[in-house]
Amino acid sequence: MVRIFGFLVGVGFVAVAAWSLLWGAIAFLGEEHVTTVEHRFHKEPRSLALASDGPFGKYDDRQLQRGFQVYKEVCSSCHSLGYVAFRNLEDLGYEEAEVKAIADQWTTQVPSVDPKTGEAATRKAIPADKFPSPYPNEVAARAGNNNALPPDLSLITKAREGGAAYVYSLLTGYQNPPASLPAESRPGKGLHFNPYFANLNIAMPPPLTADGQVSYADGTAATRDQMAKDVAAFLTWTAEPRLENRHGAGLAVLVFLIIATVLAYMAYQNIWHGSPRRVRETGPLDPGNMAKRDAASREAGIEGN
Amino acid sequence: MSFPWAQEYQPKSGFMRWLDERLPLPRLVYGSVGGGYPVPRNLNYFWNFGVLAGIALTIQIVTGIILAMHFIPSGDHAFQSVEHIMRDVNQGWLLRYAHANGASFFFIVTYIHIFRGIYYGSYKAPRELVWMLGLVILLLMMATAFMGYVLPWGQMSFWGAKVITGLFGAIPLVGEPIQHWLLGGYAPDEATLNRFFSLHYLLPFVIAGVVILHIWALHIPGSSNPTGVEVKTPQDTLPFHPFYTAKDGFGLGIFLILLAFVVFFAPNYLGHADNYIPANPLSTPAHIVPEWYFWPFYAILRAFTVDFILPAKLWGVLAMFSAILLLFFLPWLDPSPVRSGSYRPRFRQFFWILVLDIFVLGYCGGRPPEEPFVMISQIATMYYFAHFLIILPILSRVERTLPLPNSIAESVLHGEAAEAAPADLSGARPAAAE
Amino acid sequence: MRRRPLHHAPHGPPPLEIEGRNARAKCLLAKRRPRGYQARQAANRGAGRADARTALFALGAASGLLSPAFSGRGELCIRFEPLKDVMATVGHSDATSAAAPNDGLDRRDFINIAAVSFAGVGAAATLYPLINQMNPSADVLALASIEVDIAAIEPGQAIKTIFRKQPLFVRHLTPQEIAAANAVPVGELRDPQTLAERTKEGKQQWLITMGVCTHLGCVPLGASEGENRGQFGGYFCPCHGSHYDTAARVRKGPAPKNLEVPDYVFKSDTVVTVGEVA
């Protein structure tokens, strides 16, 4: 009964799927295969090697400080960093007093309430505050950026395929649109061609325009390439501040587990030692022995197997 | 539990005797996982996966309860509270990554456990109920995982919830009211997030209850084994403790190594980048995909693209649910008296095609719904239904099986089949050679 | 071959036996049919009494002279009998050698003990993050100390602010208030403290206390303009009528202690860091 009904149900689904397949195949084979414009012109991110790559990776604090400087001087006017607190900057090697100064002098202030009048006001940031957003809300952000919303950068390297490599490629990838780009895909007003961006035309104008845009405190030459690398590394840190803890703990845990598993295996073999997997050929199931055993069973009045 | 030679619990100390007389819990433990539970001696490593699934459930419950101490189930704060856990809560990053990747490992282990059941015929009499309870667990797991993924309120959380709750709208007549009832609104919002949090907290305990029933139902006939031949004599078995506790301990070590590697060194590999973007109801991600363990079902759902009496969307929903529901009937769809795939060569071949088919479905489910993946998933869907509903019932009638060993002990001593002239299907044994 | 006494019927047909190293433990040591691992455990437990005999039996078994059998009670015993005619058993192959010398027992058990200990250490270590996560998180600890700007507080004025999620009173005492506080005989106080003990040296005019009544935790009145300052000119708690004086010491009412003075440090004449130990 079950099988008959099941058979009919099965035939039903197979038939309907086949019907979809048929029409799908006709459509697929019939129409000409058009690759989208994005498919033709989009580029995969260029590779970027960072100190934090790999299972033993550690952050390069000097690079992170440079990247923070780029964020501060170039990106923070439009992009918030709302999940990072000023106090987290101590991870980059800044002293407590330096962090306090950075917070105190941050261009955007933190929203607060005027204690006397109760009106909305702002106050200077303290290290416990998160980085304040340059815009009070999304509407203001769009108004100031041609109706485009500059995304928060705290998690950007985890929120994009390609991670830090994508950010680096994007920042250094601005170029003139190739001649073969179809007219309807050319950047309109307020858009800029960038092949590393999924839709090819991005609303953000090229942020790194010239070498030496930022003068690094440690004296490194601030080429556009260098600045892009440094800010990509910095943004990797903002997305994964606990990366070093994670790698360190991971190594310890794995070493422990490997030793524990080896011991467990030895204990397992130990306990099973002798419980037969193989036995000598003249064993219990030689017909002679089987016969004896059956005879003994019968004698004892015990039912057979 | 049901074997007469099972050792009986002997309380070792005065206190244990006192306890045992009042609440036979030690006796229960002894009789189910201790020295008092005889288990076939020939189990292979595929029998480790049930225990591993139980451990994965425990890990999820422990990490989940702790995460719930910090998570805020409100649309405004959910995403931020998860970041708070990742950045500020002591070892919060570890708990979050363990919970997210633990779910993936729970599914890996469960799927292998299920495939073991299909290959070795563990679903056959007298263990049909064990099988069906297991499927109930799978359905509960899927519901729990789906709701859990919505909680961080990222782009995939929101849009995944939108798609899946939208499926209910495909039900004719009552679909839309049901959808609004589920959502608590017209689209996933505050109400949805809150109720998903509540249910996500509840369901794992329901799963735990069903797991207890699952193990209880198993312990009545006892575990099956790779030969599919039932336990007949004391020589066929070993006490669970210490033999299989040791083996499970080793298996657990391997499982934890793999889990630790993913949690500590590749914690976002199995996830999707879009879920690190806060949910935006006004902006759809380029490709909406669920987590990898749903991909085969997602492929089946999307395989039906053309209306046929019913709308294509409804066919997809029916097929997706039927794909799991038909498994409930497997004991009756495949009534072959030979249990184990080890002795059913033809069945074995089709089994491996099924495994390949499910992998293909899984791969297609993770791709965008473009050609040629849609056509491939259509073919794969056809095979899936054909395998269980057409091929298996016919196969059990017409296949030629290999002769079974007389007993587990026999097969263990001389390896599988052959030498000691095992019985064939009818139970007759060839004349003993001298 | 001599017929061997058999098991009780309920235990099924007699087990088959295997010769050689798969010998059995003494029936005296085993409760029921011993299996290898348990046999060794049993052997270890009975070690004190049974050493010599175990060794002898072991020797006997190994030399093939002894063989296992079942006593009438269904327990295994060693019997003196050549093994070679005995049928092989599977059931007692699990009884691995009592034939091994005691060294072998200890070495084998050591591995088991080591494995379990390692697992135990791992379990304990796993417990640490599970418990530590409930400790205050980093953002809470960041607000464990705050800076208060006291420049704008005139003598006779006080401000209320939040410190570790609780009210904090910062009061600029007038010379009269200081004199009144110092005039009180300390011995009469329920919680004897001088004003000097409750303020910093050279900064006696700055009284910084928690705004939490020490009775049951209400917020006392008196910090803001126009609030009732009680009979002693300091703070007054309306919940159960505790009165605090100009040094915020309890003078009347059910409160047992003076308002708590938190750790604080003067960073400058106008900035105080509360929550930092001096």
Side-chain angles (χ1 to χ4, degrees):
Chain A
M1 240 324 273
V2 171
R3 277 183 290 171
I4 295 170
F5 184 67
F7 188 87
L8 293 171
V9 169
V11 166
F13 278 119
V14 168
V16 177
W19 186 245
S20 291
L21 175 63
L22 179 67
W23 285 106
I26 290 174
F28 180 62
L29 297 169
E31 71 191 22
E32 47 176 87
H33 188 54
V34 178
T35 31
T36 57
V37 180
E38 282 85 11
H39 207 243
R40 274 189 291 152
F41 289 93
H42 176 73
K43 288 200 194 149
E44 290 302 306
R46 293 171 17 227
S47 65
L48 171 67
L50 289 176
S52 53
D53 289 341
F56 304 111
K58 287 196 181 350
Y59 287 121
D60 175 0
D61 281 357
R62 293 245 311 266
Q63 183 174 40
L64 295 187
Q65 292 192 8
R66 293 199 300 269
F68 172 61
Q69 200 178 346
V70 174
Y71 167 75
K72 183 168 149 204
E73 297 181 24
V74 178
C75 320
S76 59
S77 47
C78 302
H79 287 282
S80 55
L81 202 68
Y83 295 106
V84 183
F86 286 100
R87 59 181 162 83
N88 296 132
L89 292 174
E90 288 183 38
D91 288 350
L92 304 193
Y94 291 114
E95 293 298 324
E96 204 184 312
E98 286 176 292
V99 169
K100 220 162 119 200
I102 292 171
D104 198 65
Q105 291 155 19
W106 197 255
T107 332
T108 322
Q109 295 202 336
V110 172
S112 80
V113 171
D114 187 315
K116 294 194 173 51
T117 62
E119 283 169 358
T122 59
R123 61 168 175 82
K124 291 210 220 155
I126 59 173
D129 289 324
K130 300 264 168 42
F131 278 84
S133 170
Y135 301 106
N137 50 53
E138 187 182 325
V139 179
R142 285 188 186 277
N145 289 287
N146 227 344
N147 205 31
L149 178 64
D152 183 285
L153 292 182
S154 321
L155 289 165
I156 202 79
T157 53
K158 284 207 282 194
R160 299 287 185 271
E161 296 288 331
Y166 167 78
V167 171
Y168 164 68
S169 309
L170 190 74
L171 292 175
T172 52
Y174 285 90
Q175 55 198 249
N176 287 324
S180 50
L181 189 67
E184 64 270 12
S185 301
R186 287 186 172 271
K189 180 165 170 293
L191 292 173
H192 311 265
F193 181 77
N194 189 319
Y196 296 100
F197 188 64
N199 293 345
L200 298 179
N201 296 306
I202 188 172
M204 170 170 77
L208 301 173
T209 45
D211 291 347
Q213 200 172 338
V214 168
S215 45
Y216 281 137
D218 68 354
T220 315
T223 59
R224 283 191 297 177
D225 192 77
Q226 183 65 40
M227 289 191 285
K229 282 200 173 99
D230 293 341
V231 82
F234 172 70
L235 292 176
T236 309
W237 172 80
T238 59
E240 293 248 55
R242 309 303 224 149
L243 180 134
E244 290 179 342
N245 302 52
R246 179 159 59 82
H247 285 171
L251 189 61
V253 167
L254 272 182
V255 166
F256 175 88
L257 279 176
I258 288 172
I259 297 175
T261 305
V262 166
L263 282 176
Y265 183 72
M266 288 164 67
Y268 155 63
Q269 288 296 346
N270 177 30
I271 287 170
W272 279 74
H273 170 70
S275 298
R277 314 274 195 193
R278 293 276 175 267
V279 157
R280 265 180 290 236
E281 289 303 313
T282 59
L285 297 155
D286 290 336
N289 281 331
M290 285 300 290
K292 283 185 202 166
R293 178 180 156 214
D294 286 342
S297 297
R298 260 178 279 118
E299 266 184 87
I302 291 163
E303 300 254 310
N305 258 358
Chain B
M1 269 189 189
S2 306
F3 296 122
W5 59 88
Q7 288 214 12
E8 217 198 307
Y9 175 65
Q10 305 286 347
K12 292 282 187 309
S13 66
F15 170 70
M16 291 307 274
R17 195 179 357 259
W18 180 90
L19 184 61
D20 187 50
E21 281 165 10
R22 287 152 181 73
L23 181 69
L25 200 55
R27 180 175 300 266
L28 178 68
V29 171
Y30 183 82
S32 46
V33 298
Y37 178 55
V39 178
R41 61 169 61 233
N42 61 334
L43 301 185
N44 58 33
Y45 279 106
F46 281 108
W47 262 257
N48 276 34
F49 286 88
V51 171
L52 289 180
I55 288 171
L57 175 66
T58 308
I59 293 174
Q60 289 306 97
I61 289 178
V62 168
T63 52
I65 291 175
I66 286 174
L67 286 170
M69 292 183 185
H70 304 276
F71 176 72
I72 301 175
S74 144
D76 295 328
H77 297 290
F79 190 89
Q80 195 213 351
S81 68
V82 173
E83 280 305 306
H84 164 70
I85 290 169
M86 294 292 287
R87 291 162 192 276
D88 290 328
V89 172
N90 300 318
Q91 285 85 46
W93 55 268
L94 173 59
L95 296 162
R96 195 274 175 108
Y97 280 147
H99 195 74
N101 290 295
S104 281
F105 272 75
F106 193 5
F107 274 96
I108 292 175
V109 154
T110 303
Y111 283 152
I112 296 176
H113 183 67
I114 295 175
F115 277 125
R116 184 281 310 262
I118 298 177
Y119 183 88
Y120 288 107
S122 309
Y123 52 82
K124 291 177 186 288
R127 296 180 185 85
E128 302 97 320
L129 205 53
V130 181
W131 171 256
M132 294 198 284
L133 286 168
L135 287 175
V136 169
I137 294 172
L138 177 66
L139 286 169
L140 288 171
M141 276 173 65
M142 291 168 73
T144 309
F146 162 65
M147 292 191 292
Y149 193 66
V150 174
L151 298 181
W153 213 237
Q155 273 287 68
M156 275 312 170
S157 308
F158 178 89
W159 290 96
K162 196 132 195 287
V163 166
I164 298 300
T165 52
L167 293 182
F168 289 89
I171 302 171
L173 290 173
V174 292
E176 223 171 89
I178 290 182
Q179 186 186 357
H180 295 166
W181 172 78
L182 268 175
L183 288 171
Y186 305 105
D189 196 14
E190 290 297 318
T192 320
L193 180 57
N194 246 304
R195 66 188 53 180
F196 278 7
F197 179 61
S198 171
L199 292 174
H200 182 73
Y201 205 121
L202 167 70
L203 284 188
F205 298 101
V206 176
I207 291 176
V210 182
V211 166
I212 290 174
L213 293 178
H214 181 70
I215 297 176
W216 188 1
L218 172 69
H219 281 207
I220 304 297
S223 297
S224 181
N225 69 85
T227 63
V229 173
E230 285 298 315
V231 167
K232 293 178 176 130
T233 64
Q235 293 83 298
D236 292 339
T237 64
L238 290 169
F240 191 86
H241 178 71
F243 292 92
Y244 286 105
T245 42
K247 195 170 185 187
D248 285 338
F250 169 58
L252 176 62
I254 302 286
F255 172 77
L256 289 177
I257 288 174
L258 295 172
L259 178 62
F261 179 77
V262 171
V263 165
F264 288 100
F265 295 107
N268 293 302
Y269 180 74
L270 294 169
H272 198 288
D274 278 0
N275 225 29
Y276 278 106
I277 304 173
N280 183 355
L282 300 176
S283 161
T284 313
H287 302 119
I288 304 175
V289 273
E291 288 283 85
W292 69 267
Y293 36 82
F294 289 133
W295 285 356
F297 304 102
Y298 203 53
I300 295 178
L301 176 72
R302 296 189 306 188
F304 294 83
T305 48
V306 176
D307 293 350
F308 185 89
I309 304 168
L310 301 173
K313 187 174 166 190
L314 184 57
W315 276 115
V317 173
L318 287 174
M320 187 176 76
F321 284 115
S322 301
I324 304 178
L325 292 178
L326 64 78
L327 291 173
F328 278 87
F329 298 98
L330 193 53
W332 296 277
L333 290 169
D334 176 26
S336 158
V338 177
R339 255 195 211 105
S340 165
S342 307
Y343 300 96
R344 304 174 67 188
R346 196 58 74 192
F347 171 89
R348 211 162 49 229
Q349 287 165 349
F350 280 111
F351 172 81
W352 290 116
I353 300 176
L354 175 71
V355 170
L356 179 66
D357 181 67
I358 291 176
F359 271 95
V360 166
L361 277 174
Y363 180 75
C364 293
R367 306 288 309 160
E370 290 159 1
E371 300 298 0
F373 300 110
V374 178
M375 286 198 297
I376 296 173
S377 37
Q378 284 160 344
I379 298 172
T381 305
M382 285 162 61
Y383 180 77
Y384 182 91
F385 282 99
H387 177 96
F388 287 106
L389 297 171
I390 300 174
I391 296 175
L392 280 191
I394 296 174
L395 197 61
S396 52
R397 280 190 183 284
V398 304
E399 70 176 342
R400 286 200 53 209
T401 59
L402 298 177
L404 292 171
N406 269 331
S407 71
I408 295 171
E410 182 182 308
S411 76
V412 165
L413 294 177
H414 277 245
E416 306 293 326
E419 288 178 41
D424 68 15
L425 249 165
S426 69
R429 225 189 313 153
E434 212 41 54
Chain C
M1 188 195 71
R2 202 164 65 183
R3 198 178 134 214
R4 289 172 289 112
L6 296 170
H7 261 317
H8 299 154
H11 290 282
L16 309 173
E17 297 166 17
I18 286 180
E19 48 185 336
R21 63 192 174 130
N22 300 310
R24 282 136 290 279
K26 288 173 8 141
C27 70
L28 283 183
L29 297 175
K31 287 197 160 99
R32 298 281 268 264
R33 298 177 293 108
R35 296 182 176 83
Y37 179 71
Q38 284 118 329
R40 288 204 300 284
Q41 297 294 72
N44 283 341
R45 266 179 248 116
R49 275 180 294 125
D51 258 357
R53 280 186 299 186
T54 323
L56 267 179
F57 276 108
L59 216 49
S63 66
L65 294 175
L66 295 180
S67 80
F70 296 104
S71 71
R73 287 166 299 160
E75 289 179 346
L76 280 189
C77 296
I78 301 291
R79 277 187 334 138
F80 192 84
E81 188 188 8
L83 280 178
K84 51 187 195 289
D85 285 329
V86 165
M87 300 199 300
T89 194
V90 170
H92 303 291
S93 59
D94 316 323
T96 49
S97 45
N102 271 344
D103 271 9
L105 295 177
D106 294 352
R107 192 175 59 237
R108 287 210 190 116
D109 286 332
F110 169 73
I111 293 170
N112 295 345
I113 292 169
V116 172
S117 314
F118 229 74
V121 166
T126 308
L127 224 47
Y128 170 73
L130 300 181
I131 296 177
N132 191 34
Q133 53 84 23
M134 281 173 70
N135 274 328
S137 53
D139 55 331
V140 169
L141 292 175
L143 289 172
S145 73
I146 59 164
E147 283 192 357
V148 184
D149 184 354
I150 56 177
I153 310 177
E154 299 295 323
Q157 275 191 338
I159 60 161
K160 270 195 250 192
T161 184
I162 300 277
F163 169 64
R164 294 185 185 170
K165 297 285 195 263
Q166 292 187 305
L168 183 77
F169 293 164
V170 180
R171 177 173 286 284
H172 191 164
L173 294 173
T174 60
Q176 295 90 332
E177 286 171 340
I178 294 173
N182 286 331
V184 178
V186 178
E188 278 180 15
L189 294 170
R190 182 176 303 168
D191 180 11
Q193 276 184 317
T194 62
L195 179 60
E197 283 167 342
R198 292 168 61 73
T199 53
K200 295 285 179 208
E201 230 184 86
K203 305 265 185 212
Q204 264 214 345
Q205 73 275 30
W206 291 109
L207 180 67
I208 301 179
T209 60
M210 299 305 297
V212 181
C213 180
T214 55
H215 177 226
L216 290 174
C218 291
V219 181
L221 302 173
S224 303
E225 297 282 338
E227 279 182 355
N228 185 351
R229 296 183 67 173
Q231 285 175 10
F232 299 86
Y235 300 104
F236 169 68
C237 185
C239 291
H240 307 98
S242 296
H243 296 254
Y244 298 86
D245 66 11
T246 52
R249 299 172 297 193
V250 63
R251 301 294 291 278
K252 188 174 166 183
K257 295 203 132 338
N258 304 333
L259 291 186
E260 188 193 328
V261 177
D263 292 319
Y264 62 90
V265 169
F266 272 89
K267 284 288 192 255
S268 71
D269 281 343
T270 53
V271 175
V272 185
T273 301
V274 185
E276 195 176 297
V277 180

